[in-house]
Amino acid sequence: MKLSEKKQSNFTPHPDTDGSPIKAVIVDITDLKKRMTDFGEKEEFRLVFETEAFDAENDRQFCIWSRGYTPSLNEKAALRKDLKKMMGRELTSAELNEFDVESMIGFGVKMIVQHEQVADKTYANISFIAPDKEKALKPSGSYTRIKDREEKSDAPAVSKPEPAASKTEPAASGWAAVVIHVGKHKGKKLGALVDEDDAAVKLLMSKWLPQAKAAKNLEDAGLIAALDELAEFVTDDIPY
């Protein structure tokens, strides 16, 4: 039996943004890799984002990897849900018929990065993502796509991230962690409702929020503040 010392990873996780959104741009799409999930073995890929946060230690912009996606545009698939968040709209019929994920390279977004501590390791997770409707971030040019690194071994590389901390979604923080205390979704976190039911979020923002502000009940203050924070990212169609 041959053994060797397991070296500690020197990968530095993306900084926690403390609930504030930062600019990012998609710079890579990884190849499909097999991973064991609760539903058996699945092939997944990830999106790689370069952000405006600067990694002084390595003299380059920080990068962060998305959660894993199966290559499916089914309405329940994680990829379709996250594309809707990133693009601020549902995919068109033509896109649903044929969508080239490579077309997302260079696409600018805003995101919130949250740290999660598991044992002695720190993981950086994307807890919120939305389209950047302002001047979108452009790739710095310091990141070399994985497929290009394989072709040219002397190309500069970016450290590979640690695997995801768990198979579940990262814990919510900031507005996303606020628990709804009214209506049929009472007891659910606002971040979970945003992922599951756009119409319900719209109703909270358009119907309940104005009435709650007028009533000025102390118990409503937390949810009011969370919805006001979320409103900064609302598009004409979808609350992201």
Side-chain angles (χ1 to χ4, degrees):
M1 180 171 60
K2 297 180 180 180
L3 303 175
S4 64
E5 178 187 11
K6 186 177 181 180
K7 300 293 184 181
Q8 291 290 330
S9 171
N10 61 356
F11 176 75
T12 302
H14 190 289
D16 192 307
T17 63
D18 296 321
S20 299
I22 61 171
K23 290 178 176 289
V25 58
I26 299 174
V27 292
D28 205 359
I29 298 160
T30 68
D31 291 333
L32 286 171
K33 287 190 176 181
K34 291 182 179 179
R35 187 175 74 89
M36 187 57 65
T37 73
D38 293 334
F39 305 99
E41 191 175 66
K42 301 285 186 180
E43 283 197 319
E44 294 184 336
F45 69 92
R46 295 174 186 265
L47 302 179
V48 183
F49 298 85
E50 184 180 70
T51 79
E52 61 182 322
F54 187 69
D55 182 358
E57 183 178 350
N58 295 298
D59 192 31
R60 62 188 176 213
Q61 304 305 122
F62 271 102
C63 287
I64 185 168
W65 277 246
S66 73
R67 58 175 167 170
Y69 299 116
T70 56
S72 170
L73 290 179
N74 181 279
E75 62 181 5
K76 294 184 179 180
L79 175 61
R80 182 165 170 182
K81 291 179 179 179
D82 282 1
L83 284 173
K84 181 179 179 181
K85 295 177 186 178
M86 286 183 270
M87 301 172 78
R89 62 173 176 82
E90 181 59 273
L91 296 178
T92 65
S93 298
E95 288 169 331
L96 288 172
N97 184 55
E98 184 177 73
F99 185 79
D100 186 0
V101 183
E102 282 284 320
S103 67
M104 296 299 290
I105 294 291
F107 190 86
V109 299
K110 285 187 176 181
M111 64 170 59
I112 292 175
V113 179
Q114 173 195 346
H115 277 184
E116 181 180 1
Q117 196 72 29
V118 178
D120 61 343
K121 291 185 178 181
T122 300
Y123 298 89
N125 294 308
I126 301 170
S127 62
F128 174 86
I129 195 164
D132 189 349
K133 296 186 288 183
E134 302 167 357
K135 187 177 181 180
L137 186 69
K138 301 295 183 183
S140 69
S142 64
Y143 179 92
T144 301
R145 295 192 63 180
I146 295 172
K147 66 181 183 67
D148 296 330
R149 283 181 235 159
E150 294 171 350
E151 295 172 2
K152 188 177 180 181
S153 59
D154 60 345
V158 172
S159 301
K160 184 178 180 180
E162 295 286 349
S166 68
K167 297 172 186 173
T168 59
E169 292 299 304
S173 63
W175 64 264
V178 173
V179 177
I180 299 166
H181 66 286
V182 295
K184 67 178 182 179
H185 298 291
K186 184 176 180 180
K188 183 184 290 291
K189 289 183 179 180
L190 182 56
L193 187 62
V194 166
D195 278 340
E196 297 171 7
D197 193 339
D198 293 339
V201 177
K202 287 180 180 179
L203 282 175
L204 276 175
M205 299 182 77
S206 63
K207 302 293 185 182
W208 180 85
L209 185 57
Q211 296 175 8
K213 286 183 175 180
K216 297 181 180 180
N217 293 326
L218 186 60
E219 65 176 342
D220 295 333
L223 184 55
I224 289 173
L227 288 170
D228 279 341
E229 186 177 352
L230 178 59
E232 297 180 8
F233 303 96
V234 172
T235 68
D236 293 336
D237 300 311
I238 301 166
Y240 288 111

